[in-house]
């Protein structure tokens, strides 16, 4: 059953991004894919629940975790991006590619997102197809606990940043309070932990290979398009960011280091 489930998940991911790509052409805003990213996993999660023949409780747990994680992320990004226009990362690609961006965005942004979505969702796909004769077990419950910790960390980090930005005096300042005192990216770190939790649930069904999904997600956020791309320009907008980097862990939460003196 795993093969048809993987194919169906891939088709669902492609169908979603093609629909969002067409919408982005009408809106002239390629960054709307960020809003729909979380909902893609919600759809894959419930597709796997419906098609899978693994343990019903595990299928339900994974679909539920994907839904809570995906809906929260979509709501947060949609609220955060309202009225802001196209994200600077996509605007730069649009400027570079010019008139061809309508097409280049399809394969450089959207189809790449579909492929990554399919890979990151491996815990949902594998967990729904494997382990028909095993219960959720200690590993499954441990995975749910890890997911809850990651989700909470991510949500609290996003909330703290939103409150900071709402302050009138926050313009040009660096957010270094709360969880942001211990890691420069608590939202990304929490996201990674949540997906490792879902991966552990799938591993409880014997599908250890599904941990490749959380591993890819970790590389994306910590090494590729997440942290590095964001930090490439944030120093231009926030003058104190170099000092913040010197004092604060880049990803894994750690006690802050002493900031360099004048």
């Amino acid at each position: 059953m795993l093969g048809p489930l993987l194919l169906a998940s891939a088709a669902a991911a492609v169908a979603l991004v093609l629909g969002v790509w067409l919408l982005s052409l009408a809106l002239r805003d390629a960054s709307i894919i960020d809003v729909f990213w979380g909902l893609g996993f919600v759809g894959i999660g419930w597709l796997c629940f419906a098609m899978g023949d693994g343990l019903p409780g595990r299928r339900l747990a994974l679909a539920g975790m994907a839904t809570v994680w995906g809906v929260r992320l979509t709501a947060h990004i949609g609220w955060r991006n309202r009225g802001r226009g196209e994200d600077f990362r996509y605007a730069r690609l649009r400027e570079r590619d010019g008139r061809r961006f309508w097409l280049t965005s399809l394969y450089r942004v959207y189809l790449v997102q579909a492929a990554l979505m399919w890979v990151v969702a491996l815990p949902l796909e594998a967990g729904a197809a494997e382990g028909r004769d095993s219960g959720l077990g200690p590993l499954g419950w441990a995975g749910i606990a890890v997911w809850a910790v990651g989700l909470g960390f991510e949500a609290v980090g996003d909330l703290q940043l939103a409150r900071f930005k709402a302050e009138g005096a926050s313009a040009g300042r660096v957010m270094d309070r709360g969880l942001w005192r211990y890691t420069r990216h608590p939202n990304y770190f929490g996201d990674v932990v949540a997906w490792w939790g879902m991966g552990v649930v799938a591993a409880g069904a014997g599908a250890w290979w599904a941990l490749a999904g959380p591993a890819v997600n970790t590389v994306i956020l910590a090494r590729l398009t997440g942290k590095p791309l964001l930090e490439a320009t944030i120093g231009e907008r926030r003058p104190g960011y170099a000092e913040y980097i010197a004092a604060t862990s880049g990803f894994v939460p750690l006690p802050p280091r002493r900031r360099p003196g004048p």
Side-chain angles (χ1 to χ4, degrees):
M1 191 66 183
L2 179 60
L5 195 55
L6 290 173
L7 289 175
S9 298
V14 171
L16 171 72
V17 300
L18 286 178
V20 179
W21 172 67
L22 291 173
L23 181 60
S24 77
L25 297 182
L27 298 176
R28 289 189 57 80
D29 184 356
S31 60
I32 62 171
I33 185 60
D34 293 344
V35 178
F36 286 90
W37 171 258
L39 292 183
F41 293 96
V42 176
I44 290 175
W46 287 107
L47 176 67
C48 292
F49 172 78
M51 290 186 60
D53 56 359
L55 182 74
R58 183 182 296 108
R59 283 154 44 204
L60 181 61
L62 286 167
M65 287 189 285
T67 299
V68 173
W69 174 85
V71 169
R72 188 213 72 85
L73 183 64
T74 291
H76 169 72
I77 295 179
W79 176 83
R80 183 194 68 188
N81 291 357
R82 69 197 190 285
R84 289 176 53 181
E86 190 169 53
D87 184 275
F88 74 92
R89 297 167 296 175
Y90 301 94
R92 286 185 174 181
L93 290 174
R94 183 183 297 277
E95 182 180 1
R96 185 189 68 186
D97 293 349
R99 295 180 180 178
R100 297 180 297 114
F101 185 70
W102 72 272
L103 180 59
T104 59
S105 65
L106 173 61
Y107 58 85
R108 286 183 179 172
V109 176
Y110 282 84
L111 292 180
V112 170
Q113 295 269 25
L116 292 176
M117 187 181 296
W118 180 72
V119 173
V120 173
L122 282 175
L124 308 179
E125 298 149 0
E130 305 287 350
R132 291 186 293 274
D133 301 322
S134 61
L136 198 57
L139 205 55
W141 287 109
I144 293 174
V146 170
W147 167 83
V149 170
L151 179 74
F153 206 94
E154 180 180 13
V156 169
D158 281 337
L159 180 61
Q160 289 176 340
L161 182 60
R163 288 179 173 175
F164 172 76
K165 288 183 175 180
E167 296 176 1
S170 66
R173 292 171 52 204
V174 176
M175 170 55 165
D176 57 358
R177 313 174 193 167
L179 298 180
W180 299 82
R181 185 168 179 258
Y182 304 98
T183 167
R184 303 198 296 272
H185 303 280
N187 47 352
Y188 289 161
F189 176 77
D191 186 296
V192 162
V193 171
W195 274 99
W196 277 105
M198 286 185 263
V200 170
V201 173
W208 290 94
W209 54 269
L211 293 174
V216 168
N217 188 47
T218 303
V219 172
I220 292 170
L221 292 179
R223 297 294 183 185
L224 296 178
T225 62
K227 169 182 172 287
L229 194 58
L230 181 63
E231 292 191 345
T233 60
I234 195 170
E236 302 169 5
R237 293 172 277 129
R238 307 215 178 250
Y241 204 75
E243 291 79 8
Y244 179 59
I245 288 177
T248 312
S249 171
F251 202 77
V252 177
L254 293 172
R257 300 180 289 272
R258 179 178 297 179
R259 300 202 178 196

